[in-house]
Amino acid sequence: MSTPPQPPQPADQPPRQSPAQPAVPPQPTAYPYPDPQSPPHGNFYAQPTLVSPATAQPSPPGQPQPGQPIQPQPGQPGSYYAPQPQYGPAPAPLVGGGGGGAGKAVLWAVVGAVVASAAWAAGVFLLGGRDEGADLRGYAAPGNMCSSADYSSFKDEYTQDDSSPTRTSLKDTALEESSCSVGLKKPGSSYADAYLSMQLDLHRKTDPGPEFTATWKNYGDSHKDYDVTPVNGIGDEAYLVSQDTTNGSSSGSRYATIAVRDGWVTYTMSYSVYLSSYDQDKSPPALTDVSQWLRTDAKATLGQLKG
């Protein structure tokens, strides 16, 4: 019965030794033992050893006994070949010697790990980290936009400060955002006469440029009766969007927004006023004045938030 094949040994462990096999009695043969054409039973890898007839031990039954003629071997008169003890399987080849597939797999795994580590280190060195692809131009999103934004141009018209403005902030690996909304009051007003909102966005993972242009440059196409005017001198691109539905009467609304993109940073500043019979303010500022105030304060705010 054949012996089942043994699984290959790992390259970094010593070869497993085979247990000693019991001696197999020699089989009868018509030729005197040993016979070159009939090799002895057992491990055929065993190497021959010269044994002198004077020191030879009695042979097991079936083999030549002392006093019987011994077949001499060529070139070695008076001696014969005796089988040597059996040893385990030959040791597995070393990895560095071009051995089997297991050794090559370990070698290539080590080489691959070294190459991957070098590539990662080179990427960090060249890019300065995974977030360095974002073109943030040195801007920082403040935790409190209400105290960081500049809207001083509106304070000559709206002299009262909002005692409870609304502010929000968001910090994420993909986006940082800071916003503020304040109520604008004229002298003597108990409630807000107009509203002003500001919002800064730092886009850390995606370039907002194409969508920003599509949204604000074409704002008049998606929103009826709005005027869109490009603004020069602020950021990479800026647009002023406005609408006036008062028509010189005491009803309707006036609205204006300036939207600015500087690299991967966007900033919007919006003004709105609504006229009705319940409002105390019957003469809000003209949109031409509001548009100029937005330009001035948006540029000042971005200058303060840029490091």
Side-chain angles (χ1 to χ4, degrees):
M1 180 180 297
S2 61
T3 304
Q6 299 298 323
Q9 299 296 324
D12 58 348
Q13 295 184 6
R16 183 180 300 173
Q17 299 292 334
S18 301
Q21 300 181 3
V24 180
Q27 301 298 320
T29 175
Y31 298 93
Y33 180 83
D35 186 353
Q37 297 181 359
S38 300
H41 294 278
N43 186 0
F44 55 84
Y45 290 103
Q47 300 298 321
T49 301
L50 295 178
V51 179
S52 173
T55 60
Q57 299 298 323
S59 302
Q63 296 187 5
Q65 301 296 322
Q68 294 182 355
I70 299 176
Q71 183 71 28
Q73 299 301 318
Q76 298 291 338
S79 62
Y80 65 90
Y81 287 95
Q84 294 299 310
Q86 299 179 8
Y87 297 95
L94 298 177
V95 174
K104 292 181 179 180
V106 173
L107 176 61
W108 282 113
V110 173
V111 173
V114 172
V115 172
S117 300
W120 175 83
V124 172
F125 176 76
L126 294 176
L127 299 179
R130 62 181 181 179
D131 290 338
E132 290 300 323
D135 184 12
L136 301 180
R137 306 287 175 90
Y139 286 96
N144 187 349
M145 178 60 77
C146 294
S147 60
S148 301
D150 187 341
Y151 55 98
S152 57
S153 297
F154 290 83
K155 293 184 178 181
D156 289 339
E157 182 79 14
Y158 300 98
T159 58
Q160 295 191 62
D161 292 331
D162 188 348
S163 60
S164 57
T166 302
R167 59 185 177 90
T168 63
S169 63
L170 169 68
K171 288 189 179 295
D172 188 83
T173 56
L175 176 68
E176 286 192 45
E177 182 179 281
S178 185
S179 65
C180 174
S181 180
V182 298
L184 302 176
K185 298 179 182 179
K186 287 188 173 183
S189 295
S190 301
Y191 302 98
D193 297 305
Y195 301 91
L196 188 67
S197 62
M198 297 79 70
Q199 180 169 314
L200 179 77
D201 292 285
L202 276 61
H203 305 264
R204 292 188 171 275
K205 296 298 181 182
T206 56
D207 181 3
E211 292 185 4
F212 178 90
T213 304
T215 299
W216 294 104
K217 183 178 181 180
N218 305 311
Y219 197 90
D221 297 337
S222 58
H223 299 77
K224 187 178 179 180
D225 298 330
Y226 281 83
D227 296 324
V228 179
T229 304
V231 178
N232 297 322
I234 305 178
D236 291 335
E237 59 177 327
Y239 301 92
L240 181 67
V241 177
S242 60
Q243 183 190 54
D244 188 354
T245 62
T246 60
N247 295 322
S249 65
S250 59
S251 62
S253 64
R254 291 177 182 175
Y255 167 87
T257 293
I258 187 170
V260 183
R261 180 187 66 82
D262 195 7
W264 288 22
V265 177
T266 58
Y267 180 72
T268 56
M269 191 172 190
S270 302
Y271 167 89
S272 58
V273 59
Y274 303 91
L275 302 181
S276 69
S277 58
Y278 299 99
D279 295 321
Q280 297 180 4
D281 182 19
K282 303 301 180 181
S283 57
L287 276 183
T288 54
D289 295 333
V290 171
S291 297
Q292 184 57 48
W293 298 343
L294 290 174
R295 287 186 177 94
T296 301
D297 291 347
K299 189 173 184 178
T301 298
L302 291 174
Q304 294 176 178
L305 298 178
K306 189 172 185 178

